[in-house]
Every structure is written in structure tokens, then in C-alpha cells.
Amino acid sequence: MINTASTPEYPYHSPSLSFFNTHTLAGRLEMIWAHGTFLAERGRRGYRIQLYDMGDFFAEVWSNPESHIVGLIRGLASKRALEPYTNKIDLWDMMCW
């Protein structure tokens, strides 16, 4: 659980990438649940990888599809990191809500 007394920007504003990266796996997952918008999902090396828009950056959640255990959560600053998702995201759907 995140100590909100020492985190003035959380939970009221979307966290910055540097703030996000200072937290544990559980803390990062909590921020994604509070502020993330699901964008796409892909698979790699036996993992289910879900992409979330966090406002100023993106986050990936890597989990085992059989056990549902989250093994990795990482913040992405580079747009190049989004390339594996380009064929999975329909921008038209995102604009017509």
C-alpha cells in the first residue's frame, strides 16, 4: 500500500513517471488501477502484457495468463516502446467515444 501522507500528488493527480518508478510492484499496480486507462494487450514469451495510458507516460503490466501473477510492471517514456501495440490499437475507436 502506498503511504499517501508522503505522496502529495497521489491519489488526486496522475503520477509522474519518476514517481511511478520509485514504488513497489504493488504500489505501481495501485496507481494503474487509480489512474490508468487500458489501451491494448499483447503476448510475449508466455506473458500477457497489458498497456495502460497513465497521462504523461504509459505502463505495461506483465502477468502469467495461467496463474494471473503479475511479474513485472514498467513505465514507458519512449514512444518506440509502443511499437508492438501499433497493430492492436484502433485510433478510430479511441476518438469516437
Side-chain angles (χ1 to χ4, degrees):
M1 181 135 205
I2 296 174
N3 178 358
T4 56
S6 65
T7 56
E9 66 180 281
Y10 181 81
Y12 305 107
H13 303 287
S14 294
S16 66
L17 179 58
S18 60
F19 179 80
F20 181 82
N21 285 335
T22 63
H23 284 81
T24 64
L25 196 71
R28 291 176 190 190
L29 194 55
E30 188 175 324
M31 284 185 256
I32 290 170
W33 286 337
H35 298 286
T37 301
F38 175 79
L39 295 177
E41 182 176 283
R42 66 185 177 100
R44 182 169 184 218
R45 297 183 182 168
Y47 284 93
R48 176 185 303 133
I49 308 167
Q50 296 174 317
L51 179 69
Y52 292 85
D53 178 0
M54 296 296 292
D56 293 335
F57 64 97
F58 296 92
E60 281 185 331
V61 177
W62 292 55
S63 62
N64 181 310
E66 294 177 11
S67 67
H68 304 288
I69 294 175
V70 174
L72 174 69
I73 298 176
R74 63 182 187 159
L76 307 171
S78 166
K79 291 180 181 169
R80 185 162 189 220
L82 302 177
E83 287 179 11
Y85 298 98
T86 56
N87 65 342
K88 308 227 182 262
I89 297 173
D90 185 345
L91 295 178
W92 185 254
D93 285 345
M94 292 176 70
M95 295 187 314
C96 294
W97 46 271

